[in-house]
Amino acid sequence: MFKNLKDLREEKGTLVASHRGTSTGNIPCNTIAAFDIALKEGADILEMDLFKSVDGEIFVFHTGMEPSHLDRHIHIERLTAEEIKNLRLCNGDLEETFISVNKFDDVLEHFKGRAILNLDRSIKILDSVIEVVERHNMREQILLKSDPSEQSLKMVETFAPEYDYMPIFMEKDCAFDKIENMNINCVGAELVFASEDAEIAQDSYIEKLHKKGKIVWMNSLVYSSKVPLAAGHSDDISLTDDPEKGWGWLVDKGADIIQTDWTYHCVDFLKNRKR
């Protein structure tokens, strides 16, 4: 029987979410290949980005990254499904690989019963996304996250009220009380903060979430060096200086999930630290 997020946290301790899978060398991110490698490295959660083609098919790709992942200045969401299937993703040197942009259907079927899937950038097309997930009968494997805007929360309440969901709070909690009064299965929150002084980075706030039985998601990945996601307690400092300053700080702060670009090293650290 597939373990849900809370049961998995109880069993394993701090969980590791692999940001777009493990991509290096000739393996592009956000692909079945990258996700497979991340699972081999010990990931508990696979984070992926979704978009819909102009004719309504769901694919896995981070829109806006076309120049760096396809070496093309295009808007991939304006293409048909057939045109997208003919594209080939590039490696870090912008050399074309053998890997195509994966259909969401194919990703779901490949990872059925194998991992929790965090579907990022999906809130605006949530009705279509949920339709695909239900077709594969994989509701228990899905974790949804979004900004806590009224529009986004209404999408969750309307199309996915029984799905595990987390709001993404930036610096402060602006919606938790409201969410608790909605028909939303809120299992926790993703906390993003540039400074340790942020409201949501305080021990009292994190303890409050834990007392409510909620899961705390924090990020060690570095999406932009100009925008710290966890007050600088990052993959970079964990790997180039001391992992206790990065991953260790997040664990001590109360992170139940750490999202990282360096799955193997984060998992190895947590194992050695007896997470």
Side-chain angles (χ1 to χ4, degrees):
M1 187 175 182
F2 190 82
K3 290 184 174 64
N4 64 29
L5 191 60
K6 288 185 177 181
D7 288 345
L8 195 62
R9 169 69 177 94
E10 190 68 28
E11 176 188 305
K12 297 186 68 174
T14 307
L15 304 177
V16 173
S18 183
H19 180 234
R20 306 181 194 168
T22 296
S23 57
T24 188
N26 202 47
I27 305 297
C29 67
N30 262 324
T31 60
I32 287 174
F35 299 139
D36 267 335
I37 296 168
L39 289 187
K40 290 177 183 177
E41 293 181 340
D44 304 292
I45 301 167
L46 301 174
E47 186 270 352
M48 61 192 66
D49 304 292
L50 306 183
F51 79 96
K52 185 161 62 171
S53 68
V54 72
D55 51 351
E57 187 143 0
I58 309 294
F59 287 87
V60 179
F61 186 87
H62 191 296
T63 56
M65 299 292 184
E66 291 89 344
S68 56
H69 294 163
L70 292 167
D71 195 21
R72 299 188 186 194
H73 289 273
I74 60 174
H75 295 282
I76 194 170
E77 71 271 24
R78 297 179 186 174
L79 302 181
T80 66
E82 192 60 34
E83 290 171 325
I84 293 166
K85 291 171 189 176
N86 289 326
L87 296 172
R88 291 296 175 270
L89 293 159
C90 295
N91 62 24
D93 292 324
L94 290 184
E95 294 292 338
E96 190 176 277
T97 70
F98 58 91
I99 299 175
S100 60
V101 180
N102 292 141
K103 289 173 54 180
F104 185 42
D105 274 296
D106 294 338
V107 172
L108 285 175
E109 202 56 39
H110 188 81
F111 293 102
K112 193 166 190 175
R114 297 178 60 195
I116 293 169
L117 310 180
N118 171 219
L119 310 182
D120 203 5
R121 297 171 65 85
S122 63
I123 196 67
K124 292 182 180 179
I125 55 171
L126 192 59
D127 52 342
S128 299
V129 168
I130 295 303
E131 184 179 328
V132 178
V133 173
E134 289 294 320
R135 190 164 67 237
H136 289 265
N137 193 28
M138 291 176 63
R139 180 186 304 178
E140 74 281 0
Q141 286 183 239
I142 302 301
L143 172 62
L144 302 172
K145 289 197 277 92
S146 77
D147 67 280
S149 68
E150 189 68 38
Q151 181 180 11
S152 294
L153 294 177
K154 199 63 183 175
M155 288 290 285
V156 177
E157 190 176 44
T158 302
F159 298 107
E162 297 179 355
Y163 280 69
D164 285 355
Y165 170 77
M166 291 184 182
I168 303 171
F169 292 142
M170 313 282 285
E171 306 299 333
K172 62 182 181 179
D173 178 343
C174 57
F176 205 89
D177 290 340
K178 177 172 66 176
I179 293 169
E180 286 196 307
N181 291 316
M182 298 179 72
N183 185 25
I184 292 176
N185 181 28
C186 181
V187 297
E190 177 179 340
L191 308 182
V192 178
F193 47 94
S195 166
E196 292 180 18
D197 295 328
E199 171 192 302
I200 58 175
Q202 302 312 302
D203 292 341
S204 56
Y205 176 75
I206 294 167
E207 288 169 8
K208 176 183 171 183
L209 290 182
H210 282 154
K211 284 179 180 177
K212 288 177 175 285
K214 305 303 181 183
I215 290 172
V216 172
W217 174 305
M218 294 185 189
N219 302 291
S220 63
L221 68 97
V222 181
Y223 186 74
S224 166
S225 58
K226 297 178 181 178
V227 185
L229 301 183
H233 300 285
S234 65
D235 287 342
D236 287 9
I237 199 168
S238 298
L239 292 164
T240 64
D241 187 353
D242 181 356
E244 287 294 344
K245 296 179 180 179
W247 301 319
W249 187 92
L250 297 177
V251 171
D252 292 339
K253 179 55 67 171
D256 301 296
I257 299 171
I258 296 174
Q259 182 176 207
T260 177
D261 280 318
W262 295 86
T263 302
Y264 174 82
H265 293 283
C266 185
V267 169
D268 186 58
F269 168 77
L270 292 172
K271 284 180 178 177
N272 290 330
R273 207 177 193 258
K274 298 180 180 177
R275 58 179 175 177

